[in-house]
Amino acid sequence: MPTTATTRRCPAAPAALLFASLLAACGSSPILSGRDGPESHPPARLAEVPDAEPRIEPIRNGGPNKPYEVLGRRYVPMTQDRAFKERGLASWYGRKFHGRRTANGETYDMYAMTAAHPTLPLPSYARIRNPANGREVIVRVNDRGPFHKGRIVDLSYTAALKLDLLRGVAPVELERITFAEIRSGAWQRDRTTPEVPDRVDPAQDTAVAPVPAEAAVPAAVLPEVDALTLRPLASAPRGFWIQLGAFRQKDGAESFQRRVADELEWLSPLLAVFVDTPLFRLQAGPYASRDEAREGAERIREALQLVPVIVERK
C-alpha cells in the first residue's frame, strides 16, 4: 500500500465567508503533498470509541448542500431525505486536517466518528461496512470529499481504525441512514466488531486521501452486483427515472445492467429492469425531482457516452 499521499481539501475560511466561497475556492487551492497519518502518540483505547448516534438533523437547502465544483467537476449534493447505497473505495484523513474547518463549519476531529462524502446531505449519518472482514461503523458525515474517481468516502482516523482500513485505500459499502430509520430505531442492529488495536505505528500507517488515477483495485475484490430482478413496469415507484436502454431480449438488458453497475458503482443500487412487453427497460431511480434526475443523467452521459432519457411516473 502507498506510504505517501497527495490530497486536496478546502482550507479553513472566515466564518462570514465560509459557504459563500468555500467549495468554489477549493477548486483553485494549492495541492498539499506529503505524509499524513496519526499523531505521534494517538489516544489510547480508540477502538472503544462508540459509533456516531444518529439523530434527525434538518437538511438545509444551500450552505454546505449547494452545488459546487472541484477539479473541473460539478457536484450536486442531495437535499432530500432518501435512502442511498454505494460501493467504492474508502480512504482516511488525519493530522494534516485535524482541527481545521469541515465543509459544514465544524472542526474536524480525527478521533471522532465522522466522514466526508461528495454529495450526501450535510449533516448525514451513514453505515460503512468493510466487506473484507465484516466490520461496520456508523459515522456522521460533516465534510466534503474525496474527489477522485472510484473513491466514495474519506473516513476519520478512528473510523478507519475500527474498520481496519488504516493501511490504505480499500473497498467499502456505504448506506445512508434515513429519518424514518432513525425515528423507528431500525438503524440499530446487532453487529459484532472484532477487536482491533488502538495504537498503530505512524511510520507504517499513512492516511491516503486522493491517489493517482492509475491506481486501481482489482475487480475481484469488489462485491458482486446483485442478480437481476425483473419487475412489471406498473410496479415502478413514483418519481423521476433515468432510462438507459430498452431491449427486446432479457439477456441484453441483463448484460447491460451488469456493465453499467461495474462501471458506475454509485448508480448500481438505483438500477432496475422493468418488463414492458415486448421490451425490457433498464432504468435508474427514482429521483425526487427532475433536477436530480437531470444531474444523474449527465453523469451517466459523461461516463458511458450515451444519451439517457428522463421519465416521470406520477
Side-chain angles (χ1 to χ4, degrees):
M1 303 306 290
T3 57
T4 60
T6 298
T7 185
R8 180 185 291 247
R9 209 169 268 284
C10 297
L17 300 177
L18 182 60
F19 295 119
S21 60
L22 178 66
L23 292 170
C26 184
S28 59
S29 62
I31 295 178
L32 304 176
S33 301
R35 294 177 61 83
D36 192 4
E39 298 177 309
S40 299
H41 302 287
R45 307 175 72 87
L46 288 177
E48 299 175 17
V49 172
D51 285 357
E53 183 83 9
R55 59 190 179 91
I56 295 176
E57 299 185 64
I59 299 173
R60 256 179 81 198
N61 285 323
N65 296 317
K66 288 172 57 176
Y68 65 96
E69 185 173 315
V70 173
L71 301 177
R73 181 172 180 178
R74 188 167 184 265
Y75 295 85
V76 179
M78 293 167 50
T79 56
Q80 304 290 326
D81 173 39
R82 61 181 175 87
F84 179 86
K85 295 182 180 180
E86 193 174 22
R87 297 169 179 167
L89 301 178
S91 53
W92 62 276
Y93 58 127
R95 67 175 182 271
K96 187 175 289 185
F97 304 96
H98 188 57
R100 295 192 183 185
R101 288 278 184 90
T102 64
N104 71 342
E106 299 173 358
T107 300
Y108 173 57
D109 180 355
M110 63 189 284
Y111 301 124
M113 293 297 291
T114 63
H117 188 275
T119 57
L120 282 179
L122 297 188
S124 276
Y125 293 87
R127 186 188 312 277
I128 313 291
R129 181 176 182 270
N130 180 353
N133 56 25
R135 294 172 185 165
E136 293 183 354
V137 298
I138 293 177
V139 296
R140 184 171 182 269
V141 181
N142 66 351
D143 205 359
R144 291 291 177 217
F147 301 113
H148 186 275
K149 184 178 180 181
R151 196 82 60 81
I152 65 169
V153 66
D154 259 351
L155 300 167
S156 69
Y157 173 82
T158 298
L161 178 143
K162 292 179 68 174
L163 289 171
D164 195 21
L165 295 178
L166 287 177
R167 293 174 182 82
V169 177
V172 297
E173 300 166 0
L174 178 151
E175 179 181 2
R176 179 175 180 265
I177 298 172
T178 65
F179 290 173
E181 291 170 322
I182 295 173
R183 290 189 188 98
S184 68
W187 65 272
Q188 301 181 75
R189 66 189 191 199
D190 293 337
R191 59 185 191 276
T192 302
T193 302
E195 187 174 329
V196 296
D198 59 1
R199 294 292 297 271
V200 297
D201 180 356
Q204 296 180 0
D205 290 288
T206 301
V208 280
V211 296
E214 60 270 17
V217 173
V221 304
L222 294 174
E224 293 184 359
V225 176
D226 294 336
L228 179 65
T229 300
L230 300 178
R231 294 189 283 172
L233 187 64
S235 71
R238 296 178 181 178
F240 295 87
W241 291 79
I242 303 172
Q243 179 163 299
L244 288 78
F247 303 82
R248 292 192 176 276
Q249 299 295 325
K250 171 189 170 184
D251 289 348
E254 182 173 9
S255 175
F256 192 55
Q257 186 256 3
R258 293 191 180 280
R259 176 198 154 192
V260 172
D262 286 342
E263 295 190 24
L264 303 179
E265 290 178 8
W266 61 271
L267 190 65
S268 178
L270 302 179
L271 292 174
V273 173
F274 296 104
V275 181
D276 183 22
T277 307
L279 299 176
F280 298 88
R281 300 183 183 276
L282 176 61
Q283 299 183 346
Y287 291 83
S289 69
R290 186 175 294 275
D291 286 344
E292 288 186 21
R294 188 179 293 117
E295 174 65 18
E298 180 63 20
R299 293 180 67 184
I300 295 169
R301 185 191 67 79
E302 292 178 358
L304 301 180
Q305 300 301 303
L306 58 81
V307 181
V309 177
I310 298 175
V311 179
E312 181 180 7
R313 294 202 177 91
K314 299 181 179 179

